[in-house]
Amino acid sequence: MAQATNRAEMGVEKAARVLRGIRDSLEDEEPAAVATVGVMAGALLASLVGFLLVSSLTIVPFGIFVVTAGYGWLRHQELTAKTLALAMTVSTILILLLITAFIFREAVPVIEYETATVFGVAVPGLRLFIQPEWEAVTPPVRYSMVPMIHGTVLVTLIATAVAAPLGIAAALFISEIAPAPVREAVKPGVEILAGIPSIVYGFIGFTILSPWASDQFQILGQGTYLFVGIVVGLMALPTVVSVAEDALASVPESMKSGSLAMGTTDWQTMTSITLPAAFSGVSAAVLLGVGRAIGETMAATVMLRGVPRLTDPLYNAFYGQETLTSLIARNYGEAEGLQMSALFVAGVILFITVLFLSIGSQYIEARMRSKLGGEQ
């Protein structure tokens, strides 16, 4: 509790210092420059209000902002550049907040519809997570997220099992083992793989892996969580390799040299010095790969059956029904009413999941910095 209070006080002090710095910098500027920046800020704020109100007059304050910014760039370039940079930063944060608020707002109708009563207390949205049926057409209409969460978890676990060990091993090879010519050739190739569109991976999985799996394992129809997870893991592999290699390369050479000077082997140095020292970056790389696996859309949409129901048994990865992302991609074009709201619920679940992954990554990084004696 005391630590949280101290952090809040530090945040307030930092904000106060920023405001004092802005005030002091404006006092040193010419009145004409301050007036120009004020008109820019007011016009941009008016444009935002008009945009939110869907007003046809929004173009007027935005035009004033553009003209004023052009004048300020010609006459008071430094202050105008600072103001534009600040405005773009604030706009980015505000847009993210508006998107978040919009997603949550659109999810409210189906959350209210799927209210369940537990011990006499109405819990909004509870049926979304305790019933296994998704039935958007035939009464009684039900919207369950359970089958899609199950599919997403299976695909993510399989993809992580593919991307994490292979990615970390490849990063160790590139950073610590490979000769310089090999490193210079392999690293750009890995980064190029990250730019291949996901639909290409999905198409390869649909045309090659899925038919092969159907023949070999005698599966009725195509689409298995196992091979979707493998394809998504291969898609996430370049991200894991690239970020993990950067983290391993950032370990000070003095730490490695000191370990070798103590008589350890290269392998012992990698496992006892390099990997622990770069653990925060490596874990962030794995979490980024997991985030891509969770949010992957096109490969899952192309390869899965598109039937929102649970597999039997639940651990059966040789059948593939639906994930949260493929549900959205497959239905958003024709969905309306409560079904559209249910798709936004799937988006909210994905948003919260990735948010917790990001927070977890930062927590691990802070713990490792503390363990290695870095700044808090």
Side-chain angles (χ1 to χ4, degrees), residues 251-265 268-269 272-274:
V251 175
E253 193 64 33
S254 58
M255 295 178 65
K256 305 175 190 177
S257 301
S259 175
L260 293 172
M262 295 294 292
T264 62
T265 64
Q268 290 172 330
T269 299
S272 61
I273 300 297
T274 307

Side-chain angles (χ1 to χ4, degrees), residues 26-286:
L26 289 178
E27 289 178 352
D28 297 334
E29 298 290 342
E30 299 178 4
V34 175
T36 302
V37 168
V39 173
M40 285 173 54
L44 188 60
L45 182 61
S47 301
L48 174 63
V49 173
F51 173 78
L52 294 177
L53 296 177
V54 197
S55 172
S56 59
L57 299 177
T58 304
I59 189 64
V60 176
F62 184 74
I64 295 174
F65 167 76
V66 172
V67 172
T68 308
Y71 169 79
W73 190 266
L74 294 175
R75 299 297 301 272
H76 316 286
Q77 190 174 95
E78 183 177 356
L79 183 59
T80 302
K82 292 180 180 178
T83 305
L84 288 176
L86 176 62
M88 295 305 104
T89 303
V90 173
S91 298
T92 301
I93 297 173
L94 188 59
I95 289 170
L96 290 175
L97 292 175
L98 290 174
I99 291 174
T100 303
F102 175 76
I103 293 174
F104 277 85
R105 188 195 70 177
E106 293 297 313
V108 168
V110 80
I111 291 176
E112 294 178 346
Y113 175 78
E114 294 292 357
T115 298
T117 302
V118 179
F119 301 114
V121 179
V123 181
L126 181 61
R127 277 209 310 256
L128 289 167
F129 306 101
I130 62 174
Q131 64 182 4
E133 296 85 13
W134 171 286
E135 181 51 68
V137 179
T138 306
V141 174
R142 288 289 178 262
Y143 300 101
S144 172
M145 294 291 118
V146 175
M148 282 63 73
I149 293 174
H150 169 258
T152 301
V153 169
L154 276 181
V155 170
T156 302
L157 290 177
I158 296 169
T160 304
V162 172
L166 292 180
I168 295 173
L172 272 173
F173 173 78
I174 295 173
S175 177
E176 304 295 323
I177 302 174
V182 176
R183 184 184 303 115
E184 296 301 321
V186 172
K187 189 174 180 181
V190 170
E191 294 174 349
I192 289 173
L193 288 176
I196 297 177
S198 60
I199 188 64
V200 175
Y201 287 97
F203 183 71
I204 293 173
F206 178 76
T207 57
I208 298 177
L209 289 180
S210 289
W212 180 84
S214 298
D215 294 338
Q216 295 296 317
F217 301 105
Q218 298 180 356
I219 300 172
L220 296 177
Q222 293 192 17
T224 67
Y225 289 135
L226 176 63
F227 286 95
V228 172
I230 291 173
V231 169
V232 174
L234 294 176
M235 291 174 55
L237 192 58
T239 302
V240 177
V241 173
S242 181
V243 179
E245 195 275 333
D246 290 340
L248 293 170
S250 66
V251 175
E253 193 64 33
S254 58
M255 295 178 65
K256 305 175 190 177
S257 301
S259 175
L260 293 172
M262 295 294 292
T264 62
T265 64
D266 289 336
W267 173 249
Q268 290 172 330
T269 299
M270 283 189 288
T271 55
S272 61
I273 300 297
T274 307
L275 267 178
F279 180 78
S280 60
V282 173
S283 62
V286 174

Side-chain angles (χ1 to χ4, degrees), residues 345-360:
V345 170
V348 168
I349 295 172
L350 291 169
F351 174 83
I352 293 175
T353 303
V354 175
L355 177 64
F356 274 100
L357 283 175
S358 177
I359 294 174

Side-chain angles (χ1 to χ4, degrees), residues 315-335:
Y315 56 81
N316 184 5
F318 287 94
Y319 281 87
Q321 310 293 358
E322 195 79 287
T323 63
L324 291 167
T325 52
S326 63
L327 175 76
I328 297 172
R330 212 183 303 273
N331 292 279
Y332 79 94
E334 57 187 21

